[in-house]
Amino acid sequence: MKPMLAAAALAAALAMPALADPDPADWDAVTAEAQGQTVYWNAWGGSDVINDFITWIGEQAAEQGVTLEHVKLSDTAEAVSRVLAEKTAGKDEGGAIDLIWINGENFASMKEQDLLFGPWAEALPNRALTDPQNSALSADFTVPTDGMESPWGMAQLVFFHDSARLPEPPRTMPTLLAWAQANPGRFTFPQPPDFLGATFLKQALIEFSPDMMALEGPVEDADYEATTAPLWAFMDELTPNLWRQGRAYPQNGARLVQLMADNEIDIGFDFNPNAASNAIANGQLPDSVRSHVHDGGTLGNASFVAIPYNANAKAGAMVVADILLSPEAQARMADPEVWGLGTVLDVAALEPEQLLLFDRIEFGPATLKPEELGETLPEPHPSWMVKLEEDWTARYGVAQ
Amino acid sequence: MADGLRLETLEIRLGGRCMVALDAHVAPGEVLTVMGPSGSGKSTLLAAITGALDPAFALSGRILLDGEDVTALPTERRRIGILFQDELLFPHLSVGGNLAFGLTPSLRGRAARRKRIDSALQEIGLEGFAARDPATLSGGQKARVALMRTLLAEPRALLLDEPFSRLDAARRGQIRELVFARAKAQRLPVLLVTHDREDACAAGGAVIELGA
Amino acid sequence: MSLLRRAPALTLLVMLGPVLAGLAGTLLPAFGIMPALGRVEPGLMPFSELAAWPGLPRAVALSLGTGLGSTLLALALTMLICAGWQGTRAFRWLERALSPLLSVPHAAAAFGLAFLIAPSGWVARALAQLLGWERPPDLLILQDPWGLSLIAGLVVKELPFLLLMTLAALPALRPGQSLATARSLGYGRSAGWLKTVFPRLYPQIRLPVYAVLAFSMSVVDVALILGPNTPPTLAVQVLRWMNDPDLALRLRAAAGALLQLVLTLGALGLWRLGEIAVARIGRAWIEAGGRARHDAPLRALSFGAGALSALAIILGLAALGVWSVAGFWGFPALLPDAFTAKSWMKQGPQLLSPAADTALIALVATGVALALVLACLEAEHRFGLRPSARALWLLYLPLIVPQIAFLPGLQILALVGGVDGTITAVIAAHVIFVLPYVFLSLADPYRGWDRRNAIVGHALGASPARVFWRLRLPMLLRPVLTAVAVGCAVSVGQFLPTLLLGGGRVQTLTTEAVALASGGARRVIGVTALAQTAAAFLPFALALLIPALVWRNRKGLKHG
């Protein structure tokens, strides 16, 4: 009797998760379950362009029976806090968030604290269209994604400048320093720990640091002092020549565009290679703005979406993630007229009619063509980011 | 039994100190004048009789109205009217509305009530004033409306808290006469608080000095 | 009847229960306990981490400095304006100009001010036109390290509020008579007012002043826009830690929130000591008998400051309005190159649904608050249940405890209770913050109503209920509507309560505005700021129009 009861209990226990969570391998079951679900996608809402794209995704999702609600965040951390609060309160089911636009440190944190559902990303049908060789898709800031998040866009650090005021922009950090010393107060970056600002530090670190291998591993394993010495020497010289002499910083990348429009700075940068064209189309910047990259390549990474462990509409969320990977969505996203973020699909391997969607795209004068974008540098291990931010804050962030 | 207003060994104490000690009887249609310097407790006495005495005071004794002990009743059940120095016409109601507020609820029916109000206005010489804004009336007119409002509630006694002192000399005599005449006609006992000797003389009744 | 007697207790429960519960939810992480992160051992590590943050001394100094400084400046200006101009036509003009500005949300006013005074802002552009600048000067005006811009941004909003509170409290003190007496004794206008009216006035506005002080110490959105960020004020830093991807920093944030609470209490204590000192000095000054007849410069200064403050907000809003319809607008153009309705066309429809939610939440929350406040005030009138000083302090607790210190805990409670993400939870949270302001705004006019009206009413046979509904409320229509307007404005401007308890399912104009504004696009900020302001301003406009309409034939009530 007892062994049977035990076996029954065990079977029941094993069956429970299957009852609760959809199995991504059985895609038909997933789409069936997703019918009629409402997916709350928490994504940063500070850009009109992106908000419009998400609305379009919503229309595609509606055709598949899924209602998509875009919950606009001012910071991804709001979503992370929410899931954490739900876990604290013991709300392990029916959470308020179904899908989060996430990457980097936020992903590493959530994964570490078991706040995510998965693995599921590798089982999506459209995942097959992506390039398996693209390391940016399987490791987010060198933290393995393990299928816990699904990519949907490729970002690369791209600079832009007003060619009417600055015909030839600096294309390396040392030349940037020389230019800043000659033109003090005309350059700045968002204050770390803002994502973009920290990326600037990392870009500088990579340009000055000959040892790329050290950056791939955790910071504890490397000689931090030696590796970052050239970076801090550079920053020591640069900071007094920054906008406001480095005593104040803009708080995010969008403000760089505003500062440039106000003629306060001459160089800006963003993760979206199409940022300059978007700004021109929006009337935020004049037509003379052009993009440029640094010699030797700039940092690139992928944007992902992840599903919280307690999400209410997991099946619907997976369907939305799959839609994001569809050629129609990717081509639309890559179109500078719409957004201009890089695609994660392996364009070379696409079917002819899918390829047509990408060929139609016209790049404006302010956007660099894919071949002009140069090399994509891989991100360092996230622990480097943490240490760099702390160090920067201690040296320049609070001393004023 | 129309016995009038009787104050039986009424004592008002504040913190142990006796402020007012009174034993009086006001017959229907008569006027009792209470006089005294400021601070002698005249207004406190009136507050006690209306039932609006501040909890800081301690009251002992009885207040009898037509034989009924009203000492423990709330103000709205005592049916004792009061006229203050300021006419206190409710500014958000018209003249007619003020009168209607006072008109006893036992008179039912809109038409009947309107008729009563109109005739009341006629009695005080303010015919057609029903829709007027009280703030547009002169001092004398306001005093008359206030009196009418009090009388329409069909009180069984009338208290007057220096109601004539705001009026100019010419009006004062007129209004005073009107009030006393009406009270007498309706056989109301009247308690008048004043510091004006003329009022006391015109009242023609007994005079009590407080705080002497 | 017994329910009315319980009204004060019920009110305190409604307000304090959540605050205390929320605080408990913050205390635990501050002492190292956060089961969701696997931390279960109590300890002082979060506090030691907090102390180890290099920016702490400066951040604390900044919070104290800007909080105390802005409150002091706002109070001083309010008093000088009243002292120099009360009773004059210019005063009425100033009052009319400043009162509607109460409805402008803090963030909108801050954005507008930021654009005005920035080195590439409107004022600078005007100068650039005159002086022929091509580039804006590299001056640290916004985000300056002393927090002066932040103080300015706080003062322009606090001045109308303190002025309104003062005006509500003044009539009962008969300032006109005191001033006339003083002047007949040879005192100048300002000195006369300050010596005879101010000492009696201050106790009446003490609690609003404390509320202002607590608010300025823990404000976040204005500090983000105008305040320094190397380092920021403590409140902003706590928010940053809360938002950091490194979840372990949440513990440090909780410790910081507790420190913020202690700091706020400390500032209040300091202010109290200041009151005593000022009282002592003031008494000596009064007895010295100096007449100070030549106060014309002071009067001009105070009027100028008041006018400037009003102008700052109005021009700031105008600037946001221009941005909302601007095509490309570079430096040093005074107006955009082209105008377009694109921003409104795009954002407008998207804001309709949040606007409806905002209105619903504001009306219900204010309605509940009003009912409770009226019940308390009426209970006070009928049963002599006058709130003790302690009870009043408890009423102010939600305003004094920083929001960030108890809202996260409250969110967990809501989650446990299963009510998070509902509009009901958001409304309940809003009531906590709306109620003190409704009470503040209604208490004095309510108590100042001539009680003899009630006695007359009772003597005419009306029951207490009839007196309340037929006499008191109608006569107090204007103060009640003003209190409703204040309550609605407070509700419209709330951010953290809606965000944390709404779970992303309840969107108001403010949450949308903050999310959209995170992109820094001035055009979008312009649209949302104007929408927010309109939502908060409408009740004020109604509070002016409705009594004027209803009492158009009642001279006695037309002017409140």
Side-chain angles (χ1 to χ4, degrees), chain B residues 94-141:
Chain B
S94 63
V95 168
N98 269 276
L99 293 178
F101 192 92
L103 183 57
T104 170
S106 57
L107 182 62
R108 294 185 186 283
R110 276 190 78 169
R113 289 177 73 90
R114 286 239 64 183
K115 225 171 119 194
R116 185 80 184 82
I117 291 172
D118 286 338
S119 62
L121 284 171
Q122 220 176 24
E123 284 174 44
I124 50 175
L126 292 178
E127 196 169 331
F129 268 59
R132 283 277 293 264
D133 175 8
T136 59
L137 267 51
S138 74
Q141 291 169 326

Side-chain angles (χ1 to χ4, degrees), chain A residues 40 44 46 48 52 77 81-82 88 96 106 109 191 244-245 247 249 251-252 254 258 262-264 283 397, chain C residues 36 119-120 125 134 136 138-139 229-230 240 243 245 250 328 331 346-347 411 420 500 503 505 518-519 522-523:
Chain A
Y40 287 90
W44 182 62
D48 266 355
D52 289 340
S81 294
R82 177 130 202 106
T88 309
N106 281 314
S109 277
Q191 182 170 357
R244 303 285 184 266
Q245 298 94 47
R247 288 181 295 154
Y249 294 87
Q251 295 301 299
N252 57 45
Q258 190 69 65
D262 287 339
N263 200 356
E264 298 216 37
Chain C
S120 58
R125 287 170 194 228
E134 262 189 30
D138 190 17
L139 294 173
N229 38 43
T230 55
R240 284 214 190 134
N243 285 344
R250 310 267 156 140
F328 178 68
F331 185 88
K346 225 183 202 186
Q347 304 297 337
Q411 179 191 31
D420 74 297
L500 291 178
R505 304 295 173 97
S518 61
R522 283 216 187 101
R523 289 160 188 79

Side-chain angles (χ1 to χ4, degrees), chain B residues 50 52 75-76 79-82 84-86 88-94 101-102 131-136 149-150 153, chain C residues 384 450-464 466-467 470-472 474-475 551 553-557:
Chain B
T50 45
T75 315
E76 56 270 17
R79 292 183 60 196
I80 298 179
I82 182 163
F84 286 105
Q85 226 180 50
D86 301 316
L88 288 176
L89 294 181
F90 303 132
H92 63 295
L93 299 173
S94 63
F101 192 92
R132 283 277 293 264
D133 175 8
T136 59
R149 178 179 67 180
T150 312
Chain C
D450 195 337
R451 271 177 157 231
R452 294 178 302 173
N453 283 307
I455 298 179
V456 168
H458 287 314
L460 292 172
S463 66
R466 188 145 191 262
V467 166
R470 297 303 210 85
L471 293 182
R472 192 162 208 160
M475 284 171 75
W551 302 143
N553 286 329
R554 299 281 179 265
K555 264 174 61 184
L557 286 173

Side-chain angles (χ1 to χ4, degrees), chain B residues 188-206:
Chain B
L188 292 175
V190 178
L191 189 74
L192 168 66
V193 158
T194 183
H195 60 262
D196 186 340
R197 292 263 160 222
E198 262 193 54
D199 289 344
C201 289

